[in-house]
Amino acid sequence: MSILRGFAKTARDDEAARRLRAEIEEFNAEYCAALDENRIADWPAFFTEDAVYRITARENADADLPVGLVYCEGQGMLRDRALAIEKTSMFAPRYLLHQVSNIRILAIAGETVTAQANYLVLQTLVDEKTTLHQAGRYFDRFHRAEGRLLLRERHCVYDTLLIDNSLVMPV
Amino acid sequence: MSILRGFAKTARDDEAARRLRAEIEEFNAEYCAALDENRIADWPAFFTEDAVYRITARENADADLPVGLVYCEGQGMLRDRALAIEKTSMFAPRYLLHQVSNIRILAIAGETVTAQANYLVLQTLVDEKTTLHQAGRYFDRFHRAEGRLLLRERHCVYDTLLIDNSLVMPV
Amino acid sequence: MSILRGFAKTARDDEAARRLRAEIEEFNAEYCAALDENRIADWPAFFTEDAVYRITARENADADLPVGLVYCEGQGMLRDRALAIEKTSMFAPRYLLHQVSNIRILAIAGETVTAQANYLVLQTLVDEKTTLHQAGRYFDRFHRAEGRLLLRERHCVYDTLLIDNSLVMPV
């Protein structure tokens, strides 16, 4: 049983999977660097034109509910969201730092790669200690176009149910 | 001086070690996914027939004491433990998330690979914030049989001395 | 915009970068193991003769200020610092555990590799819970000599502004 429907492991851990894992590790490092450096305008470029981006609680994922805290479909919505965050940073200044680990290649089919990873977002508010902001899993569907992997789906399934209400930033 | 006796670094960081490190990274991702998804019945399959599994405090490891919080020897004990946990989940529901990093290849000898890694277990209880449940190190002896690595020894040496008394789950 | 001047990303994520990333991952695992095992005398050997080592707050890095909490230039200062820590461990006994992730290859030029990584230092004091001691980023300039990578620059830029005053140890 996987946590999310459509994300069962079928791929074997062979040489091809190992190369993809290294590539996805790079992808995630670049993706997180954009968020951690507040380059939110760069964020939509990690997705395909028709991509789905969702942040949802593990409770919802386990119950196979499509709802979530954040849901974007297509570049238009992703760019809207990025713009909204850029323009309305009224919330208290904070630093974010992502740690991504435990990447798994779940399935490989033509130009599509299904993968999973564990993420941890650390947050530091001015004059406060660094805290665990959110712990969760990425469930990803990558599509390769012109030699490059892009996200066609990213479901961020978080364990942390008590998230402070600053969750405007994507993870 | 290594933390655990018998786990000194003798391997050179060459191409062979690099390949093994990638393979062990995959192994650990699969191992942790089983635990994080509550597939505890799958856990013994990561070990050889005669495997030793131990969870012990760093204090004990530093003092070279064999005792520990958890000690299993052989598939029988591992399966007993898995079954016991499955049947008696009386403790409060919780989510676990593992982060494994800093994998080191310590020694390579024939079909045996000695390795180390740092782990972090994050725990989320219902209606509580995510907390650092346990931080520690895996000291591993892998054995390759039929092309696949399995654990012959896994010593989980935790730094966290104050662990809440829910430590029934393996790490 | 990068966080630190002189650390913009220019390298492409190709096969050469991938090999370097694996090598730097090994380097960081060994570097952190030395610190986590209290082998502080081994720490200067990870640097070149003329290396710069600095720990500084993100605030300072963002403002392009050269100042920092710790600043060492050259093997002499690194060894002095290591010796001072070894001789004067008057602070309360503690365990440290490093997690390094999200390694990025920023630039490659001859024998020099510029890279970045996210680090997390977990700290456990006797009879206390494990805490997030410091979250931050390594900004590194590696130099290869005699086949081996060594640090010519390591800037540890931490997000965590409230660090307890035990920050004698390098990270």
Side-chain angles (χ1 to χ4, degrees):
Chain A
M1 183 205 66
S2 154
I3 285 175
L4 208 65
R5 196 137 60 127
F7 288 86
K9 179 158 172 118
T10 58
R12 289 179 48 222
D13 285 330
D14 57 12
E15 199 55 41
R18 201 157 296 153
R19 288 180 70 88
L20 285 169
R21 202 160 55 80
E23 201 179 342
I24 289 173
E25 208 175 307
E26 277 161 26
F27 180 97
N28 284 328
E30 295 305 321
Y31 176 100
C32 293
L35 297 180
D36 291 347
E37 293 172 11
N38 259 315
R39 293 185 280 109
I40 182 75
D42 293 348
W43 174 68
F46 290 96
F47 294 87
T48 62
E49 203 55 47
D50 59 345
V52 166
Y53 176 77
R54 182 166 70 120
I55 309 181
T56 195
R58 179 154 170 181
E59 273 189 325
N60 288 335
D62 281 345
D64 203 16
L65 294 174
V67 299
L69 203 57
V70 171
Y71 186 89
C72 294
E73 203 175 330
Q75 276 290 328
M77 281 182 77
L78 290 166
R79 272 187 241 121
D80 275 2
R81 185 157 193 93
L83 201 66
I85 291 168
E86 238 181 353
K87 300 268 171 184
T88 61
S89 297
M90 301 303 293
F91 49 83
R94 70 198 61 216
Y95 296 142
L96 296 178
L97 196 76
H98 288 67
Q99 291 249 20
V100 177
S101 71
N102 295 43
I103 295 173
R104 300 169 71 206
I105 302 298
L106 300 177
I108 306 171
E111 299 305 306
T112 301
V113 185
T114 306
Q116 184 190 329
N118 292 355
Y119 68 82
L120 190 58
V121 186
L122 302 159
Q123 178 174 274
T124 311
L125 288 150
V126 171
D127 293 331
E128 293 191 18
K129 290 207 156 215
T130 296
T131 56
L132 291 174
H133 176 57
Q134 194 180 132
R137 258 159 278 224
Y138 291 135
F139 289 93
D140 297 326
R141 205 92 64 192
F142 287 93
H143 179 72
R144 188 185 300 278
E146 295 165 40
R148 232 184 116 212
L149 290 181
L150 290 176
L151 284 166
R152 180 166 269 167
E153 290 176 46
R154 169 154 280 186
H155 306 265
C156 309
V157 179
Y158 56 90
D159 281 0
T160 316
L161 297 181
L162 272 193
I163 295 179
D164 56 43
N165 49 15
S166 67
L167 188 79
V168 265
M169 282 293 285
V171 287
Chain B
M1 182 205 70
S2 153
I3 285 175
L4 208 65
R5 195 139 59 129
F7 288 84
K9 178 155 173 120
T10 58
R12 290 177 49 221
D13 285 329
D14 57 13
E15 199 54 42
R18 202 156 297 155
R19 290 180 68 88
L20 284 169
R21 203 161 52 80
E23 200 178 342
I24 288 171
E25 209 174 306
E26 277 162 26
F27 181 97
N28 284 329
E30 296 305 319
Y31 177 99
C32 293
L35 296 181
D36 291 347
E37 294 172 11
N38 260 316
R39 292 185 281 109
I40 182 75
D42 294 347
W43 174 67
F46 290 94
F47 295 87
T48 62
E49 202 56 46
D50 59 346
V52 166
Y53 176 76
R54 181 165 70 120
I55 308 179
T56 195
R58 179 155 169 182
E59 273 189 325
N60 288 336
D62 281 345
D64 203 16
L65 294 174
V67 297
L69 204 57
V70 171
Y71 188 89
C72 296
E73 203 174 330
Q75 275 290 329
M77 280 182 78
L78 290 166
R79 272 187 240 122
D80 275 1
R81 185 157 193 93
L83 200 67
I85 291 167
E86 238 181 355
K87 300 268 170 183
T88 62
S89 295
M90 300 303 295
F91 51 81
R94 71 198 61 215
Y95 296 141
L96 296 177
L97 195 77
H98 287 68
Q99 291 248 21
V100 177
S101 71
N102 295 44
I103 295 174
R104 300 169 72 207
I105 303 297
L106 301 175
I108 307 171
E111 299 305 304
T112 301
V113 185
T114 305
Q116 185 190 328
N118 292 356
Y119 67 83
L120 191 57
V121 186
L122 302 158
Q123 179 174 275
T124 310
L125 287 149
V126 171
D127 293 330
E128 293 191 17
K129 291 206 156 218
T130 297
T131 56
L132 291 174
H133 176 58
Q134 195 180 131
R137 259 159 277 224
Y138 290 135
F139 289 94
D140 297 326
R141 204 90 67 191
F142 288 93
H143 179 72
R144 189 184 300 278
E146 295 165 39
R148 232 185 115 211
L149 290 181
L150 289 176
L151 285 166
R152 180 166 269 166
E153 290 178 45
R154 169 155 280 186
H155 305 266
C156 310
V157 179
Y158 56 92
D159 280 2
T160 315
L161 297 180
L162 271 194
I163 295 178
D164 56 43
N165 48 18
S166 66
L167 189 78
V168 264
M169 282 294 286
V171 286
Chain C
M1 182 205 69
S2 153
I3 286 176
L4 208 65
R5 194 136 61 123
F7 287 86
K9 177 154 174 124
T10 58
R12 289 179 48 222
D13 285 330
D14 56 12
E15 198 56 41
R18 201 156 298 153
R19 289 180 69 88
L20 284 169
R21 202 160 53 81
E23 201 178 341
I24 288 172
E25 208 175 307
E26 278 161 25
F27 180 96
N28 283 329
E30 296 305 319
Y31 177 99
C32 293
L35 297 180
D36 292 346
E37 294 173 10
N38 260 314
R39 292 186 281 109
I40 183 73
D42 294 347
W43 173 68
F46 291 94
F47 295 86
T48 62
E49 201 56 46
D50 58 346
V52 166
Y53 176 78
R54 182 166 70 121
I55 309 179
T56 195
R58 179 154 169 182
E59 273 189 323
N60 288 336
D62 281 345
D64 202 17
L65 294 175
V67 299
L69 203 58
V70 170
Y71 187 89
C72 295
E73 203 174 331
Q75 276 289 328
M77 279 182 78
L78 290 165
R79 271 187 240 121
D80 274 2
R81 186 159 191 91
L83 201 67
I85 291 168
E86 236 181 355
K87 300 267 170 181
T88 61
S89 296
M90 300 304 293
F91 50 83
R94 71 199 61 216
Y95 295 141
L96 297 178
L97 196 76
H98 287 68
Q99 291 250 21
V100 178
S101 70
N102 295 43
I103 294 172
R104 300 170 71 207
I105 301 298
L106 300 176
I108 307 172
E111 301 304 305
T112 301
V113 186
T114 306
Q116 183 190 329
N118 291 355
Y119 68 82
L120 190 59
V121 185
L122 303 158
Q123 179 174 276
T124 310
L125 287 149
V126 171
D127 294 331
E128 292 191 19
K129 291 207 156 218
T130 297
T131 56
L132 291 175
H133 176 57
Q134 195 180 131
R137 259 159 277 225
Y138 290 134
F139 289 94
D140 297 326
R141 205 89 68 191
F142 288 93
H143 179 72
R144 188 185 301 279
E146 296 168 37
R148 231 184 117 211
L149 291 181
L150 289 176
L151 285 166
R152 180 167 270 165
E153 289 179 45
R154 168 154 281 184
H155 306 265
C156 309
V157 179
Y158 56 92
D159 282 1
T160 315
L161 296 181
L162 272 193
I163 295 179
D164 56 42
N165 49 14
S166 66
L167 188 77
V168 265
M169 282 295 284
V171 286

